[in-house]
Structures are given as C-alpha cells and as structure tokens.
Amino acid sequence: MAYDKIAFLADRNDNAQTALKALEERYGNAPVAEADVIVGLGGDGFMLRTLHRHMTRNVPFYGMNKGTVGFLLNAFAVEDLPARLGRAETATLHPLRMKALREAGTEQEAIAINEVSLLRQTRQAAKIRISIDGRVRIEELICDGVMVATPAGSTAYNLSAHGPILPLSAGVLALTPISAFRPRRWRGALLPRNVHVKFEILDNYKRPVSAVADLTEVREVVEVEIAEAPDISLKVLFDPEHNLEERILNEQFIP
C-alpha cells in the first residue's frame, strides 16, 4: 500500500527533534487531519501517547525508535521510508475500556492499550473482590494491586509483576496480581478477551485504591469495570523482520 501523505510527530528530546527535521526535509510533513499514516519518533511512552491522542483518526501508525526500549517501534532510518511503509505488516491492537466509580460518586472512563492496574494509595495493602462475568472468583485479594493486561501490554508492567507474556493471536487477557499476600499462592489467570471484569474495593476508607488506565489515573475508586472496547481497533505497522508478534514470542525465550 502506498502512503502519500505522512504526518511526523516527535518527542521533545533532542534525538527525536533532530530526526524530525531530517524526515521533514526529505518527505515534508502532512497535517495529522489529512495524513494517510502517522509516524511517531520517540520511545514507547511517546508512541503510546500518540496512539491515545490520535486513535480516532482511523489511520495506521508507524513508530521509529528515538527513545530507549522501543518495543512498539521500528529502527530509525531516513532513507526509503515510503518503501518501508509499503511493505510493513499490520498488527491490530484491541484496547480495554475502564469504567471507574469514585468514592465521591462520580464515574470516569478511560482507554488502556497496555493495561488497567489498581494500586494501593497508602502504606496498607488493598483488599479487592474480583468478579468475572458476574461471578465472584476471589472474595478478597489482599495485595499491593492487580491488573488486566492486553497482549500488547503483557511485556510491560504485567511482565514486571511476573504475569504471562501473551501472543497477539492468543485472544486472551492477563489478570495479574501485584505482590499478593492472600491468597498467597494465587499467581493470576488467563481470561478470554471478551470477558467483563469487575473489581470492588473492600474497606476503601482505610485502604484507598487508585485505578490507572495507561495515561489516566483515577484516585479513591470503589469499583472498577473493565472490558475490551469493540469499537476501537488500532493498526500499528512494523517492518517484516521486526513484527510485533515475533517480538512478543521472542520475549518468552529471553533469559
């Protein structure tokens, strides 16, 4: 596929800004509203913000690494960008929608491409009841927190919390505890991607909890519901030799 109008977006660091100037001199820079593809220059955090800010554009995204890890990004090069875009492979990401009810009675929604995580706000462990599709599965989880991660996010915070790495094509989500105290031996679960997860905060006055969906934090929540957002599909482009499915698979064999 040919992409005639390319919009370049760059992080504020010097490396990303230098790369932006080089690409603009070579290819110009189309307005985001008119672009056929959005190219992000930075690290994984910048790419995540770019996906969030422009997810309603319904165009593919292609990232080039001018940050650190670069898991969601391709190698940077000025040359032959149209050809690289033309032969790139598409990974379709399905984000999560979080609905959080606060102690004050207000409700807030947010989208998570990587994960929705619940975290204790004070020195005391959180107490959380977990229901899956209306059925209580854990009456009381005593923990520092708990998260629901997508396959794309399974190699991020989820992996740091000893959660499983999920291939994109697996069709599952990871339910992963963070420093669980009781049940002590519970290490989490794999859930079908179409499930409805509900977290209820027990003893929320004494043990307050915040909910974080990627870039959005909601403090002092009492109930959090999570489900896949079927109305949102994000198309992210990867060079064939560095496609996202292969990267996720490869992560399982890194010592």
Side-chain angles (χ1 to χ4, degrees), residues 18-123:
T18 299
L20 174 63
K21 290 178 182 178
L23 289 165
E24 285 179 330
E25 289 175 0
R26 185 76 171 264
Y27 305 106
N29 196 349
V32 170
E34 302 174 8
D36 300 319
V37 61
I38 295 173
V39 175
L41 308 167
D44 282 327
F46 178 78
M47 190 64 181
L48 193 64
R49 294 194 299 274
T50 299
L51 290 168
H52 272 278
R53 289 171 181 167
H54 303 289
M55 66 171 57
T56 60
R57 279 285 294 115
N58 196 30
V59 296
F61 297 81
Y62 181 87
M64 289 199 283
N65 192 9
K66 279 296 174 180
T68 50
V69 178
F71 193 82
L72 290 172
L73 305 163
N74 301 282
F76 175 78
V78 175
E79 298 77 17
D80 301 323
L81 180 58
R84 290 177 70 184
L85 292 172
R87 66 172 181 267
E89 298 177 353
T90 301
T92 302
L93 307 184
H94 301 284
L96 303 172
R97 176 172 282 113
M98 174 188 81
K99 294 182 180 180
L101 178 64
R102 299 184 68 248
E103 178 186 309
T106 58
E107 188 174 270
Q108 184 169 343
E109 289 192 10
I111 295 296
I113 297 168
N114 277 357
E115 76 279 317
V116 174
S117 54
L118 273 65
L119 306 166
R120 66 182 175 98
Q121 290 182 198
T122 67
R123 67 189 185 281

Side-chain angles (χ1 to χ4, degrees), residues 110-183:
I111 295 296
I113 297 168
N114 277 357
E115 76 279 317
V116 174
S117 54
L118 273 65
L119 306 166
R120 66 182 175 98
Q121 290 182 198
T122 67
R123 67 189 185 281
Q124 292 185 295
K127 291 186 176 182
I128 302 172
R129 179 182 295 124
I130 303 176
S131 299
I132 310 295
D133 288 336
R135 178 178 175 183
V136 175
R137 292 291 183 174
I138 295 184
E139 185 63 43
E140 183 181 81
L141 174 65
I142 304 175
C143 58
D144 280 354
V146 63
M147 76 179 77
V148 178
T150 67
S154 67
T155 59
Y157 190 13
N158 172 73
L159 181 59
S160 298
H162 307 290
I165 295 173
L166 307 175
L168 283 179
S169 57
V172 295
L173 304 172
L175 174 62
T176 302
I178 304 169
S179 300
F181 180 67
R182 290 284 189 275

Side-chain angles (χ1 to χ4, degrees), residues 179-227:
S179 300
F181 180 67
R182 290 284 189 275
R184 188 178 295 276
R185 291 185 176 84
W186 188 64
R187 293 294 180 265
L190 295 177
L191 306 175
R193 57 181 280 192
N194 61 347
V195 299
H196 178 276
V197 181
K198 182 167 77 172
F199 298 123
E200 297 172 86
I201 311 308
L202 309 176
D203 199 8
N204 61 286
Y205 291 106
K206 184 179 179 181
R207 303 168 184 269
V209 169
S210 65
V212 182
D214 282 358
L215 311 176
T216 303
E217 181 178 10
V218 184
R219 307 280 287 182
E220 297 173 347
V221 298
V222 294
E223 185 176 289
V224 176
E225 297 181 61
I226 302 164

